[in-house]
Amino acid sequence: MNRKGVPKNVDEYLARVPEPARSTLNKIRAVIRSAVPPEATETISYRIPAFRYKGVRVWFAAFSDHCSLFPTASVIEALKKELEGFYTSKGTIHFPTDKPLPAALIKRLVKARVADVESKKRH
């Protein structure tokens, strides 16, 4: 990916991403948008796109052979059975750009992240 400094916004980040990763990230972005509260906003955090709702909640990014979603380790652990077959590490899930995007799974991950934040707020 072209690294001309930190992108100012998500659109600028996406403009730098080559296909097919750009299309995959646009789909991930749309799924996240559909799963976060309406007042959530887009931002750049750690040089990658993120959604902010009472703090940054989920990040997404393109790499050479995959796109990643970063919903935090607790969400990955909570949904690990559903993530079988995907490469995961402590805080990220890889989605190959040459395979269909599991939109319903991504939506569950994002909703779990928002719910995790809401439940912590009540304690």
Side-chain angles (χ1 to χ4, degrees), residues 1 65 101:
M1 198 168 98
D65 62 346
L101 191 69

Side-chain angles (χ1 to χ4, degrees), residues 3-122:
R3 302 262 182 219
K4 290 187 233 156
V6 179
K8 291 180 189 67
N9 56 47
V10 176
D11 289 330
E12 187 177 305
Y13 178 93
L14 291 170
R16 299 178 186 184
V17 176
E19 290 294 354
R22 183 181 313 145
S23 292
T24 300
L25 278 188
N26 275 316
K27 290 174 190 167
I28 290 172
R29 181 187 196 187
V31 172
I32 294 170
R33 168 60 56 214
S34 75
V36 295
E39 59 271 24
T41 58
E42 293 182 333
T43 189
I44 296 294
S45 173
Y46 298 108
R47 299 177 161 253
I48 62 173
F51 275 83
R52 179 182 299 279
Y53 171 71
K54 300 178 182 177
V56 176
R57 297 297 154 223
V58 63
W59 298 257
F60 59 107
F63 297 90
S64 59
D65 62 346
H66 67 278
C67 290
S68 286
L69 179 72
F70 303 86
T72 71
S74 61
V75 171
I76 291 172
E77 180 62 26
L79 295 173
K80 68 181 175 187
K81 285 203 184 311
E82 291 185 61
L83 293 169
E84 287 177 5
F86 293 98
Y87 174 83
T88 62
S89 65
K90 185 176 179 184
T92 183
I93 305 146
H94 292 189
F95 298 104
T97 56
D98 62 348
K99 294 200 167 78
L101 191 69
L105 174 59
I106 292 172
K107 193 168 195 169
R108 280 193 300 281
L109 290 160
V110 173
K111 285 187 174 286
R113 174 68 173 134
V114 171
D116 188 40
V117 169
E118 294 293 342
S119 70
K120 285 182 179 148
K121 190 177 78 177
R122 285 187 220 114

